[in-house]
Amino acid sequence: MTQHHELTRHIPRRGGRIRRVLLFTVVLIAVLAAGTTPRGVVVVANVQAFLEFYVGVFALVGLTGIVVFGLLASARFTPIWMRILAQGGHRALAVMSMAFLAAHIALKVMEGHAAPLAAVVPVAPPLVSLGTIAGDLMFLVFLTGIARGRFIGAGRTWTWRVIHISAYLSWPIAIYHGLNAGRPAKFWVTDSYVICMALVAIVAAWRFGDFLKRRGEVGPRPVARPAADRSPLDEARTDIPDETFWSDLKAEVRR
Amino acid sequence: VSDNNGGSILPLSNRIARLGTGAAVLVALAMCAIVQQTIRQQMAAHQAPVASPSPATVQTTTSKPKRKAKRTAAASSVTKLESKVRTTMRTSAAAQTAFGKQTLGQPNVEVSRVDQGKGWAFGTSAVEPPSGTGVSPYPSIFLAHLTKTGWQVALTGTAQFTTLLGKAPASVVPKTEVPILQKYGAAAPATPPTATGLTLPWSAGQSWTLEQASGTTALQFGGGDGRVLAPADGRIYRLCTHATGRGLLLMLHSNGLASEYYQLTGEPKLTDGTLIKQGTFLGKIGTDRPCGDPQPSAPAALSFAVLSAAHPLPLNGLQIGGWTLHTAGSGPVSAERLGVSVSAGNPLLNFGSLATASPTPKLASPSPSGST
């Protein structure tokens, strides 16, 4: 029995995934069934009204969070533990915001506020099209985020950075779209975004300056070094910018 | 993630990252339900409307038809009646108030029931607002009595109407309709009521667009499946035309309020005074303005207004289907519910009768009006 338990613990990935897909299917069927009852109709309509009103806002706030957390996770002055947490927040918000964005676009198209084509190509009126552009960029950045490993490992860090950094372009466009395309924004909303953008601009400029200063000193990151047999201390080389971070991270993982 | 990771920050970070996936799954589930609902609604929209079988015809009762000559005289007397109603309508204080004392167009008159023998008539009249304003027409119900000096015409909302109502024979005003007409025609209270006891006039669970309507008394609704449903029990009266499927509808409710429906198409055949239940199909939204406005209004919408004591109620503060309407001055209308505000051009959700704080008004007599 213990042995069986041990064994099942070792094949958790596949089993876990199947279980999750099954669970999702069951919940989905339950939700769809509940949606046919009179009470369910009203609840779904409520949810729809809520999402329609707020999901775009959530996507924008999420995107703001992604930018801030992403910046925190990559900034040199943040403590390591905070950078790791920020990384978690960055990933969580990224997945969440993509879902919000998808829901936002789907609802707007379903209600005839935008043509299906306008979801992908900026063919709608300008203010709506800005949303399309921002959304496309966000999706591109999201894809590079998922496929980060492929870029790093193959020594194409620069390709990755340039694409991923277009988030800084997507974000202001999205804010402009969010504040102007729909209902008029309250003053404190506009002000909050402006303050947020100013802070991000300052930190990003700092980071960029830092990067320029160190550009001469930095060489390409060694790829595929056998690290397993080394002690964490060995890896703390000062001439590689991220090395302290990565060695600490590896130590964390091993612990 | 096992417990022996104790002090590490990494599992926590991973857990945070997983929260994102959880939220995404919830959104996905909600979207599935919404898509399902939308498909169901679109399928329902293709279903045929339920129509009442009773035909809409002018009921003419002749108590003592004696000679042909008398009938011709009666016909000419109906023409005189119509003319008299028009004059009364144009000079009526209520219609003047409704449109801010502007020059009124030619009122429509629909004579619904006539008792030529006794010299009584009952019908409806509506006057279209000055062209281009896009406001709902002003609807009224009249009662007329032929005396030696000619037709005495009284419109709802006047003391004369109440007096005539007390004398009118059942052939013209069936007993079942008297209470509701009396209540609607009663003198206006000092402060107009705000709680209407009405739901929104479409299927519960659907969001229709609250359109920008000019004026401060009429609302425009569009979108959804386009099927307009009675927002409460009440008696229905048709105005402007008795042509099939067209016309302005006025519905009197037992709480003394009336609701007005304009720009409908495909209306079911309903006899004046028929008692209809909440949720009865009234017609589909359209652009038809048969009360005299030559310009069709686009896009397809329902023009909706609430009246009390024969006066259109101002939208500001009005409560319908759990929503409270607000108009800042003569600015755009918005609806507010539990802190959520929906401005013109945005979808308004019908919560159905679940949302109505006060119970839906029920009528004392459940039998539909008959004619004698």
Side-chain angles (χ1 to χ4, degrees):
Chain A
M1 195 63 204
T2 329
Q3 208 176 8
H4 171 75
H5 189 68
E6 246 351 91
L7 278 171
T8 45
R9 266 184 58 146
H10 283 291
I11 38 163
R13 279 251 152 252
R14 259 189 66 116
R17 183 168 297 173
I18 291 171
R19 209 177 331 149
R20 254 174 270 159
V21 169
L22 264 176
L23 184 69
F24 179 80
T25 317
V26 169
V27 174
L28 179 63
I29 291 169
V31 165
L32 292 187
T36 56
T37 61
R39 187 97 211 176
V41 169
V42 174
V43 171
V44 170
N46 257 317
V47 171
Q48 181 174 358
F50 177 82
L51 285 182
E52 194 175 300
F53 204 75
Y54 288 113
V55 86
V57 178
F58 289 167
L60 187 56
V61 171
L63 180 57
T64 307
I66 299 171
V67 171
V68 170
F69 279 121
L71 197 53
L72 277 181
S74 61
R76 305 269 183 271
F77 54 81
T78 338
I80 302 283
W81 65 271
M82 204 190 269
R83 290 178 68 176
I84 297 173
L85 280 189
Q87 184 74 22
H90 181 70
R91 276 156 55 199
L93 282 174
V95 176
M96 233 189 262
S97 301
M98 284 316 291
F100 292 150
L101 180 66
H104 172 66
I105 294 172
L107 283 173
K108 293 296 159 195
V109 170
M110 262 162 60
E111 257 138 38
H113 291 292
L117 184 66
V120 192
V121 190
V123 289
L127 280 172
V128 177
S129 287
L130 283 178
T132 311
I133 295 168
D136 286 346
L137 280 172
M138 208 171 143
F139 187 61
L140 186 69
V141 172
F142 180 71
L143 285 185
T144 60
I146 292 175
R148 188 169 189 259
R150 288 174 184 265
F151 286 94
I152 305 288
R156 284 180 301 214
T157 43
W158 269 105
T159 322
W160 185 84
R161 264 182 204 157
V162 167
I163 302 177
H164 207 72
I165 227 159
S166 65
Y168 287 118
L169 192 64
S170 166
W171 183 48
I173 297 177
I175 290 181
Y176 192 79
H177 161 79
L179 294 182
N180 297 294
R183 54 188 175 272
K186 301 252 172 20
F187 77 94
W188 59 267
V189 176
T190 314
D191 290 0
S192 306
Y193 279 120
V194 168
I195 291 169
C196 207
M197 273 169 82
L199 287 178
V200 165
I202 291 169
V203 179
W206 187 355
R207 192 183 152 199
F208 187 65
D210 192 45
F211 161 77
L212 283 185
K213 214 163 56 186
R214 289 141 146 290
R215 198 164 58 154
E217 311 160 13
V218 181
R221 184 178 294 156
V223 175
R225 274 188 316 150
D229 53 344
R230 294 188 187 196
S231 82
L233 283 173
D234 284 347
E235 290 171 18
R237 282 170 53 187
T238 43
D239 57 337
I240 298 170
D242 264 5
E243 204 56 17
T244 335
F245 172 71
W246 289 114
S247 58
D248 277 37
L249 197 64
K250 279 168 190 163
E252 286 268 7
V253 175
R254 262 187 226 133
R255 230 191 283 163
Chain B
V1 179
S2 58
D3 294 327
N4 55 11
N5 268 323
S8 173
I9 203 90
L10 208 56
L12 179 62
S13 173
N14 282 333
R15 217 169 289 167
I16 293 173
R18 228 168 286 154
L19 277 179
T21 320
V25 168
L26 283 181
V27 173
L29 280 174
M31 285 308 293
C32 287
I34 289 166
V35 169
Q36 178 207 22
Q37 207 67 260
T38 312
I39 293 170
R40 287 185 66 210
Q41 277 173 17
Q42 275 169 4
M43 277 159 65
H46 291 298
Q47 283 167 11
V50 196
S52 159
S54 52
T57 44
V58 176
Q59 297 160 18
T60 310
T61 315
T62 316
S63 290
K64 291 169 190 169
K66 281 176 184 169
R67 288 188 299 268
K68 261 188 180 177
K70 177 118 187 181
R71 231 175 284 166
T72 324
S76 92
S77 119
V78 168
T79 317
K80 277 181 188 157
L81 165 68
E82 287 181 353
S83 155
K84 184 72 201 276
V85 174
R86 277 193 197 100
T87 320
T88 319
M89 195 63 182
R90 290 183 86 154
T91 51
S92 86
Q96 298 266 339
T97 325
F99 298 137
K101 303 211 173 196
Q102 298 181 64
T103 320
L104 298 177
Q106 185 79 318
N108 269 279
V109 178
E110 288 291 312
V111 181
S112 178
R113 304 176 202 124
V114 189
D115 189 328
Q116 286 169 353
K118 290 176 184 160
W120 282 86
F122 175 89
T124 58
S125 178
V127 59
E128 183 78 35
S131 191
T133 52
V135 188
S136 285
Y138 172 72
S140 191
I141 294 173
F142 74 83
L143 196 53
H145 181 41
L146 186 62
T147 60
K148 277 171 192 162
T149 52
W151 283 102
Q152 303 296 308
V153 175
L155 299 173
T156 42
T158 59
Q160 201 191 353
F161 185 85
T162 318
T163 317
L164 285 186
L165 197 62
K167 296 179 192 163
S171 57
V172 167
V173 184
K175 290 280 172 277
T176 48
E177 286 178 45
V178 173
I180 212 161
L181 285 167
Q182 213 155 27
K183 192 143 192 192
Y184 178 63
T191 46
T194 51
T196 59
L198 304 176
T199 60
L200 289 168
W202 59 84
S203 297
Q206 281 193 21
S207 290
W208 282 28
T209 311
L210 173 64
E211 306 278 4
Q212 179 63 65
S214 43
T216 53
T217 54
L219 285 171
Q220 295 256 326
F221 294 116
D225 61 5
R227 299 180 78 235
V228 177
L229 308 179
D233 295 358
R235 289 193 184 274
I236 200 93
Y237 295 91
R238 299 184 60 175
L239 295 92
C240 297
T241 170
H242 274 89
T244 318
R246 295 179 70 196
L248 176 91
L249 297 181
L250 184 71
M251 201 173 165
L252 303 193
H253 306 286
S254 58
N255 60 358
L257 297 184
S259 47
E260 179 189 354
Y261 311 84
Y262 196 36
Q263 295 182 202
L264 297 184
T265 59
E267 293 168 7
K269 287 174 180 171
L270 293 167
T271 317
D272 278 341
T274 309
L275 178 75
I276 60 168
K277 290 275 168 202
Q278 180 179 351
T280 307
F281 175 75
L282 295 180
K284 291 204 78 166
I285 55 169
T287 57
D288 186 28
R289 295 176 70 90
C291 292
D293 193 338
Q295 291 171 315
S297 142
L302 160 71
S303 188
F304 178 81
V306 183
L307 297 97
S308 166
H311 284 78
L313 283 177
L315 297 177
N316 199 17
L318 215 57
Q319 292 160 17
I320 300 171
W323 294 91
T324 306
L325 301 173
H326 296 289
T327 48
S330 60
V333 65
S334 66
E336 185 256 326
R337 183 177 185 272
L338 303 175
V340 174
S341 179
V342 173
S343 50
N346 285 300
L348 192 65
L349 176 67
N350 187 2
F351 292 92
S353 26
L354 290 173
T356 354
S358 55
T360 316
K362 291 274 179 278
L363 291 165
S365 111
S367 63
S369 87
S371 57
T372 32

